[in-house]
Amino acid sequence: MPAPDEADKLSASTTVSDGGSNARRPLGLFGGLSGKLLWLIVVCIMLAEVLIFFPSVSAMRLRWLDERLSAAAAAAIVIDGLQPVELTRALQKETLEATGTKAIVLRKDGTSRLLATSDMPTSVDEQYDLTNVPALTAIGDALDTLIFGGDRMIRVYGPVQDTNTGVEVVMKDKHLRNAMLLYSRNVFLLSILISLFTATLIFFALNRILIHPIRRLTGSMQEFSSDPEKPEHVFASDGGRDELSVAGRHLSAMQLELQKTLKQQKNLAALGLAVSKINHDMRNILASAQLMSDRLVDVDDPMVKRFAPKLLRTIDRAVGYTTEVLSYGQATESAPRRRAVRLSVLIEDVKDMLAIDVQSGVEFVEQVGLDLEVDADNEQLFRVIHNLCRNALQALTAMGDAGNAELVKRITVSAQRVGSVVSIIVDDTGPGMPPKARQNLFAAFRGSARSGGTGLGLAIARELVLAHGGTIALVEKPSVGTQFRIEIPDRPVSLEDYRSRTLHEK
């Protein structure tokens, strides 16, 4: 048996994690995959040898009996040629000892003649005809001799070559059984040597082709799990085309993706920590601003009275945002508090919040019916539309050429109801989203269309729309610019509410 190589020694002391423990538990030769594979090959070859053994030992038994029958036939032909002279008792005894028989009978021309006999038994235990022996019968007779033979008297008969002459002998099966046991022992030892030699060759071949790549995979998994942030712990695939090479490439891709995810989680954790430090002081500042803005309502000025309510709503939103600013990356957004919202009023608030500078040349076009209502959370839907419009305004402002009258800079917000679904479209005439931003659309820290952006606006918008059971998607358009479509379905009416409403109408 081959000694395990260095790789086997490594596999024999594989780290086994148990409840967070890093203790090493030696697997041993039988516990490792290499040792199991080696012994499995040996067992399989031995099983194959067993299947070969039974026909082999039965053939050996038939050859042994045929040799005894041939020796007796040769002696019988010689004795028959001496007729009418009969052999003496001493010569018959020597002939029987030479052939290993108790009696020799010659069958010729339909007659049987006892040529030699010594201590002729009164009965025989088994009879065997060697003329035509089926394979299964030969195997059964061989097993019977091995298990129960050794002290039985048997009678064997068969033809002499291709003639009509036959020979019959009576003999004990002791020597036959001993020869069969010796043959079985030799076959067993030879099978052990063949199985070990074959298993060794197959073992080294499979160890090179199969076990070594698997060990590389498991080793990479262990190193990566110990410190997944190190780039050198990413599995280096060999570029092969077999299944293990494909698995290695997928493992490498998965580890790289996991490293990116971990990096994003660290960014989110750092962002949450930074915002939590700012949040406390910001809430105090906004609370003071809220108290001072409340006094503006009492100022008797038409301009102040016009903008004071909007300023109050804006500060109220800011105070609400500070209490939920850590929701992204640490917890889910609160469930929408849905009610009927007049969409035109909400879009007007978005326009006021954008505070578009006239000098920028950006137009804000609202194409929403005055009576169009949407079943949604007012604050959450405001955040969604405001994020999209703010991104569009930033893209249009970054274009420059404010004095060029031919350059169209427009943000269009339109909406319509189709059945129980309200479709809202935010369209702009900006430069459009770059390919990288399209590939990572709605992904935080990767889906930003401008340099230095975080991409959180689209990620938060998608989360809020999904909370309403709706959809948000980037729409391909033939002209330049970016277009987003939001679809908000109405809440399904429960059966109890429908019945109560019907009864109330009646």
Side-chain angles (χ1 to χ4, degrees):
M1 184 183 303
D5 56 8
E6 293 300 322
D8 292 329
K9 294 178 182 178
L10 291 175
S11 65
S13 60
T14 304
T15 301
V16 180
S17 178
D18 184 11
S21 174
N22 292 325
R24 289 182 175 268
R25 185 172 61 198
L27 299 176
L29 181 59
F30 293 96
L33 184 60
S34 301
K36 292 180 180 179
L37 179 62
L38 177 62
W39 288 112
L40 178 63
I41 295 173
V42 172
V43 171
C44 291
I45 294 178
M46 290 300 297
L47 290 176
E49 292 289 346
V50 168
L51 297 178
I52 298 174
F53 168 74
F54 294 114
S56 176
V57 74
S58 66
M60 174 266 168
R61 173 182 171 276
L62 291 177
R63 287 194 305 271
W64 193 92
L65 292 176
D66 189 64
E67 290 174 358
R68 291 295 182 274
L69 206 60
S70 298
I77 293 174
V78 173
I79 295 172
D80 184 62
L82 297 176
Q83 292 181 12
V85 179
E86 292 188 2
L87 297 179
T88 63
R89 179 64 61 181
L91 189 57
Q92 290 185 21
K93 184 177 181 181
E94 292 178 0
T95 303
L96 293 175
E97 290 178 353
T99 58
T101 61
K102 295 294 184 181
I104 300 176
V105 178
L106 180 64
R107 295 178 179 180
K108 185 178 181 181
D109 299 332
T111 61
S112 299
R113 181 187 174 191
L114 181 61
L115 300 179
T117 181
S118 175
D119 300 330
M120 186 66 179
T122 57
S123 62
V124 295
D125 298 311
E126 296 291 341
Q127 300 185 45
Y128 302 107
D129 185 3
L130 302 185
T131 304
N132 288 306
V133 184
L136 293 179
T137 303
I139 293 175
D141 293 340
L143 293 177
D144 180 70
T145 302
L146 281 174
I147 298 173
F148 303 106
D151 195 24
R152 296 188 300 185
M153 193 65 66
I154 61 174
R155 174 173 169 263
V156 184
Y157 52 91
V160 179
Q161 300 299 328
D162 296 331
T163 64
N164 294 328
T165 303
V167 178
E168 177 181 335
V169 297
V170 178
M171 57 187 294
K172 280 191 173 183
D173 65 350
K174 180 179 180 180
H175 297 294
L176 172 62
R177 185 171 183 271
N178 290 337
M180 294 176 65
L181 290 175
L182 179 61
Y183 177 82
S184 300
R185 185 197 67 181
N186 295 335
V187 170
F188 176 74
L189 293 178
L190 183 61
S191 300
I192 290 292
L193 293 177
I194 293 176
S195 61
L196 289 178
F197 179 73
T198 307
T200 301
L201 294 179
I202 298 176
F203 169 77
F204 280 114
L206 291 182
N207 189 69
R208 178 64 179 174
I209 299 173
L210 187 64
I211 303 300
H212 182 66
I214 291 178
R215 191 175 293 118
R216 287 187 65 233
L217 288 174
T218 55
S220 176
M221 293 178 186
Q222 291 173 352
E223 291 181 354
F224 188 82
S225 62
S226 64
D227 191 357
E229 295 184 359
K230 285 189 176 181
E232 57 268 21
H233 286 175
V234 176
F235 181 76
S237 59
D238 54 8
R241 301 173 62 183
D242 56 276
E243 288 80 359
L244 288 176
S245 298
V246 174
R249 287 194 292 272
H250 282 286
L251 175 63
S252 178
M254 181 179 65
Q255 290 174 339
L256 289 173
E257 189 65 26
L258 182 57
Q259 284 187 344
K260 293 180 181 178
T261 303
L262 291 175
K263 185 177 180 181
Q264 292 176 10
Q265 293 297 327
K266 290 183 65 176
N267 291 339
L268 287 175
L271 176 64
L273 180 61
V275 173
S276 63
K277 293 178 179 179
I278 299 173
N279 190 45
H280 181 267
D281 294 336
M282 183 63 70
R283 290 181 60 185
N284 293 335
I285 295 173
L286 289 175
S288 300
Q290 191 175 27
L291 292 175
M292 289 185 292
S293 61
D294 288 340
R295 300 177 182 176
L296 294 177
V297 180
D298 300 331
V299 177
D300 190 13
D301 187 297
M303 184 67 69
V304 173
K305 289 183 177 293
R306 177 185 174 187
F307 289 102
K310 296 180 180 181
L311 178 61
L312 290 175
R313 286 199 303 269
T314 302
I315 295 178
D316 289 340
R317 286 195 180 100
V319 173
Y321 291 166
T322 57
T323 60
E324 300 178 358
V325 72
L326 297 179
S327 61
Y328 187 84
Q330 294 187 1
T332 58
E333 293 280 352
S334 58
R337 296 182 291 272
R338 304 180 70 165
R339 60 185 184 274
V341 177
R342 195 175 298 278
L343 193 56
S344 59
V345 178
L346 188 145
I347 301 301
E348 189 67 25
D349 289 344
V350 171
K351 180 181 178 181
D352 294 337
M353 179 68 88
L354 292 175
I356 300 175
D357 187 4
V358 179
Q359 300 297 328
S360 65
V362 179
E363 303 177 19
F364 188 93
V365 179
E366 177 185 355
Q367 297 178 351
V368 180
L370 297 178
D371 57 347
L372 179 60
E373 296 180 351
V374 57
D375 183 21
D377 185 306
N378 181 65
E379 293 300 324
Q380 292 187 0
L381 185 58
F382 175 87
R383 292 169 61 187
V384 172
I385 300 177
H386 179 262
N387 281 334
L388 296 178
C389 292
R390 184 184 57 190
N391 290 343
L393 178 60
Q394 292 173 349
L396 291 172
T397 304
M399 291 174 59
D401 295 332
N404 192 349
E406 298 179 356
L407 185 62
V408 178
K409 296 181 179 181
R410 182 185 302 119
I411 302 174
T412 304
V413 180
S414 59
Q416 61 177 350
R417 174 177 287 276
V418 180
S420 61
V421 178
V422 175
S423 178
I424 305 171
I425 295 178
V426 179
D427 189 11
D428 66 68
T429 59
M433 300 190 69
K436 182 179 179 181
R438 289 175 177 265
Q439 294 175 1
N440 300 286
L441 198 63
F442 304 117
F445 301 105
R446 290 189 296 172
S448 177
R450 59 186 177 87
S451 176
T454 61
L456 285 175
L458 291 178
I460 294 175
R462 179 177 180 272
E463 184 178 353
L464 295 176
V465 172
L466 292 179
H468 285 76
T471 60
I472 179 172
L474 178 65
V475 181
E476 296 292 339
K477 50 185 293 190
S479 57
V480 295
T482 304
Q483 183 180 114
F484 281 94
R485 181 177 63 244
I486 305 168
E487 292 184 346
I488 305 293
D490 295 342
R491 284 173 295 174
V493 180
S494 63
L495 184 61
E496 291 75 8
D497 293 343
Y498 174 78
R499 289 175 176 173
S500 61
R501 185 184 304 173
T502 304
L503 292 176
H504 179 74
E505 293 176 353
K506 289 181 178 180

